[in-house]
Amino acid sequence: MEFPSGALSLRSPFYVERPPIEALCYQNIEVPGSLTRLKGPRQMGKSSLLVRLLAQAQNVGYETVLIDFQTAEDAIYSDLSRFLRWFCSAVARQLKLPANLLEYWDEDTGAKLSATIYFEDYLLAMVNAPIVLALNEVNRVFEHPEVARDFLPLLRFWHEQAKHDAAFSRLRTIVVHSTDVYVPLNIHQSPFNVGLPVQLKPFSAEQASQLASRYGIVICDSAEMQSLLALVGGHPYLLSVAFYQLRQQNLSIPQLIASASSLSGPFSHHLQACSDTLQQQPALVDVIKQVMASSEPVALEATQAHQLVSLGLIALEGDHCRMACELYRSFFTRYGLSSSAQASSSQQRQFQQLKTENAQLKVLANLDGLTQLSNRRVFDLQLGQAWQRSKESGLALSLIILDIDCFKRYNDTYGHLTGDFCLKQVANVLRSRVRKASGTAARYGGEEFAVILPETDGLAAAQIAAQLRDGIRALNITHVTSLLPSQVVTASIGVASVKPNSYSNFESPSCLIEAADAALYVSKQQGRDRFTVSTSIAQSDSQAVRPPPCLATVSNHNVKY
């Protein structure tokens, strides 16, 4: 079971529908020239819904393009022309078309008109099917007012053009943005008062119960369920973290609630992010303190109320406001908020200490953010420790290095968001199998993974490698551009095993990595979707032929154990 993080794949059992949102969105993307706006605070499920909208578009025969504005470097936002050229070439690349920008771009005409001509006369003319253009993390554009001022009205113009232009009627746009970033926009120019607005809200009690059952959590005491809902307010991400902790850590709901608002609690990163965002807008600190101090809903000025609702920190009850959940009230009360007018020196020191502790936690974090496996720093540390223990005990130490086959082709075909889902599913296979073997699975880099297997000889490591290879095959993830005939995602694997003592050809952990990597190279050379075992040969074996440094006899295995 993976830790809740990022968008949920189409195969994830943890996606809970929020009728009628999905049905309305599916209908809207089939409307010529439509615009769909997905908005809400961070971690409310926007990306998971977007994955399903793109899948639905592909099911009805549409071309899909996903542009995530987080992937653009800061320099791209330096001026409008450079930004629009990046944007247009990124769309062309996903449509498998050459950029051809020079043919359509005219600086004298201007960047906005050049981009419009490029879409109308080139992209929309070259693609026969309707195009669903999904724009994720548009709030990243908000951070650059000079670009946002022209780009957002351009999106609206294209939407309006669809009413009388056959080319633009084949463009269906999905705009996704987090409401955490509050930017006043001209409503007559921005795309944020046209199209279908979809505001993602907290789960209802029924939806929370559905999610609990999918985590295998049975809550018989309705009072405990109500306590949990009061704590997190139906927030999808916070509920997912709560159910994950209840299942994986074998906690009770009272135990979870007791540690919920602490810096070492399960929600600490989310709470610190909320605190950091709030502290950047000091005028709102005084306002939210009014809400925190009252047991009854409070009347607030409309703009301030809108900003706090957009941050997800308060909820509206008619014309009044209350805290969105008790978790926020408890955390802000416990660690304080530095207001614009009333922050004391002790509160300022406490806030700075909190920020320092949070920075340290981030530096010391042991997990890869995407896959939730151990990261490279932890891998290096644990391999060194396992090597030393193996030298002292005389027991074997094995290492597996695994590389997803043709992964660049997979990313180019399906996009980086789907590529991330693939990495997470492969990580789940490693996590499940390696836990049973008392090993350590880590993301080694990119699409490469590594598994440290203490007290495990070559034969046992080969059996685990076979299970990993078969488990990844069994995911049955379609990969139409793979070089392998199976047309599913597969992996090539290298295995090395050694007893690191004075009689071994392996002198350090780096030699073990080198041997496993060399075995991986053989697997790739011999056709991929297989594993190769590199076997250490003791120097004291007078009958053996001396192997190259760090690499002994290499044998290829393509059988099930």
Side-chain angles (χ1 to χ4, degrees):
M1 182 182 298
E2 62 182 288
F3 184 84
S5 175
L8 297 172
S9 71
L10 290 174
R11 296 183 179 86
S12 174
F14 303 118
Y15 183 81
V16 176
E17 290 197 351
R18 287 181 263 196
I21 285 177
E22 287 81 5
L24 288 174
C25 291
Y26 294 157
Q27 293 171 11
N28 200 53
I29 60 175
E30 296 189 34
V31 175
S34 65
L35 176 65
T36 306
R37 297 182 283 120
L38 308 183
K39 61 180 181 176
R42 294 186 187 277
Q43 299 179 313
M44 287 295 288
K46 300 182 297 297
S47 295
S48 297
L49 176 56
L50 179 60
V51 169
R52 282 146 184 83
L53 292 185
L54 293 176
Q56 175 66 14
Q58 293 170 357
N59 288 340
V60 297
Y62 295 169
E63 293 286 342
T64 59
V65 175
L66 173 61
I67 304 297
D68 192 321
F69 291 106
Q70 293 183 112
T71 63
E73 300 172 359
D74 284 342
I76 296 296
Y77 294 95
S78 60
D79 66 78
L80 180 67
S81 180
R82 181 172 184 179
F83 172 80
L84 286 178
R85 288 170 66 90
W86 169 83
F87 176 71
C88 288
S89 61
V91 174
R93 189 180 306 113
Q94 291 205 28
L95 291 172
K96 301 294 185 283
L97 295 173
N100 283 351
L101 283 173
L102 291 177
E103 187 175 342
Y104 294 91
W105 215 264
D106 186 342
E107 294 296 341
D108 292 333
T109 301
K112 289 168 66 175
L113 185 54
S114 293
T116 301
I117 294 171
Y118 184 82
F119 263 77
E120 184 173 14
D121 293 353
Y122 181 50
L123 297 180
L124 294 169
M126 293 291 290
V127 179
N128 294 325
I131 299 174
V132 174
L133 175 61
L135 307 179
N136 196 28
E137 295 291 349
V138 177
N139 43 281
R140 180 78 170 87
V141 182
F142 298 167
E143 300 169 13
H144 304 273
E146 295 300 318
V147 171
R149 185 177 58 201
D150 287 307
F151 177 63
L152 299 178
L154 183 62
L155 294 179
R156 180 181 178 128
F157 173 73
W158 291 350
H159 171 66
E160 299 291 347
Q161 280 289 97
K163 297 175 182 177
H164 53 79
D165 186 303
F168 276 103
S169 70
R170 292 191 291 109
L171 183 66
R172 294 93 195 272
T173 308
I174 304 173
V175 175
V176 184
H177 72 100
S178 295
T179 55
D180 304 49
V181 181
Y182 178 77
V183 179
L185 298 170
N186 185 334
I187 64 171
H188 301 296
Q189 293 182 330
S190 81
F192 299 122
N193 70 327
V194 295
L196 174 68
V198 179
Q199 175 79 50
L200 294 187
K201 297 181 179 180
F203 281 169
S204 65
E206 180 181 353
Q207 290 162 342
S209 296
Q210 289 182 35
L211 183 61
S213 66
R214 296 181 188 187
Y215 273 93
I217 301 295
V218 179
I219 303 177
C220 300
D221 188 336
S222 60
E224 286 195 345
M225 186 62 167
Q226 289 302 316
S227 297
L228 183 59
L229 288 175
L231 176 72
V232 299
H235 192 294
Y237 170 75
L238 297 180
L239 278 171
S240 296
V241 172
F243 293 140
Y244 176 89
Q245 295 291 338
L246 291 174
R247 176 67 184 273
Q248 296 294 92
Q249 303 297 326
N250 197 28
L251 299 175
S252 67
I253 290 179
Q255 288 174 323
L256 179 73
I257 292 175
S259 64
S261 63
S262 70
L263 288 177
S264 60
F267 309 107
S268 58
H269 289 296
H270 175 86
L271 292 170
Q272 185 58 60
C274 291
S275 178
D276 290 346
T277 301
L278 192 57
Q279 295 287 176
Q280 293 170 15
Q281 304 180 65
L284 295 181
V285 173
D286 292 324
V287 178
I288 201 169
K289 282 185 174 182
Q290 296 178 38
V291 184
M292 289 168 54
S294 176
S295 59
E296 299 294 329
V298 176
L300 297 179
E301 189 270 327
T303 300
Q304 294 172 330
H306 172 70
Q307 289 177 274
L308 288 171
V309 169
S310 297
L311 291 172
L313 298 177
I314 69 169
L316 293 176
E317 286 188 1
D319 295 331
H320 291 67
C321 306
R322 59 172 174 80
M323 292 299 294
C325 63
E326 287 303 311
L327 181 63
Y328 296 147
R329 187 197 303 273
S330 176
F331 182 79
F332 295 147
T333 301
R334 186 171 184 174
Y335 295 103
L337 289 169
S338 302
S339 69
S340 57
Q342 300 174 333
S344 65
S345 58
S346 62
Q347 287 175 317
Q348 291 285 11
R349 287 195 300 272
Q350 187 180 49
F351 176 63
Q352 289 302 322
Q353 181 183 356
L354 192 61
K355 291 184 69 175
T356 301
E357 289 174 353
N358 186 60
Q360 292 171 344
L361 286 172
K362 290 180 179 178
V363 170
L364 297 174
N366 292 334
L367 298 180
D368 171 63
L370 176 66
T371 64
Q372 296 299 305
L373 295 178
S374 297
N375 57 26
R376 180 63 181 270
R377 184 187 69 84
V378 174
F379 167 80
D380 291 338
L381 178 64
Q382 294 206 5
L383 182 61
Q385 293 173 345
W387 179 272
Q388 186 60 37
R389 288 195 300 269
S390 186
K391 284 185 69 174
E392 294 170 357
S393 68
L395 298 175
L397 170 64
S398 294
L399 176 66
I400 294 174
I401 297 182
L402 178 152
D403 185 89
I404 301 176
D405 295 325
C406 311
F407 190 70
K408 183 180 185 304
R409 288 172 172 261
Y410 186 88
N411 261 343
D412 291 344
T413 302
Y414 300 103
H416 289 279
L417 187 61
T418 305
D420 287 348
F421 296 151
C422 176
L423 291 173
K424 289 165 71 174
Q425 291 177 49
V426 170
N428 288 339
V429 173
L430 269 68
R431 183 182 294 107
S432 174
R433 182 59 193 87
V434 173
R435 185 185 296 119
K436 300 175 184 177
S438 299
T440 298
R443 188 177 182 191
Y444 195 67
E447 66 271 23
E448 274 196 329
F449 298 86
V451 178
I452 303 169
L453 297 169
E455 301 180 14
T456 305
D457 61 19
L459 179 59
Q463 292 173 340
I464 293 171
Q467 292 165 2
L468 293 177
R469 180 203 57 187
D470 293 344
I472 293 168
R473 278 182 183 171
L475 292 172
N476 201 31
I477 302 173
T478 303
H479 186 355
V480 296
T481 53
S482 173
L483 297 176
L484 280 72
S486 62
Q487 299 287 279
V488 297
V489 169
T490 57
S492 297
I493 303 174
V495 184
S497 182
V498 66
K499 292 182 179 180
N501 51 45
S502 58
Y503 299 107
S504 171
N505 296 306
F506 290 71
E507 299 175 353
S508 69
S510 61
C511 287
L512 187 61
I513 295 173
E514 184 180 340
D517 199 50
L520 171 62
Y521 178 77
V522 173
S523 290
K524 291 182 177 181
Q525 289 295 102
Q526 295 192 2
R528 300 184 174 91
D529 188 22
R530 62 192 65 214
F531 65 95
T532 299
V533 179
S534 172
T535 308
S536 154
I537 300 177
Q539 293 179 3
S540 60
D541 184 355
S542 59
Q543 302 301 316
V545 178
R546 290 290 297 274
C550 301
L551 181 64
T553 305
V554 176
S555 56
N556 182 270
H557 296 259
N558 194 25
V559 298
K560 293 183 179 180
Y561 284 84

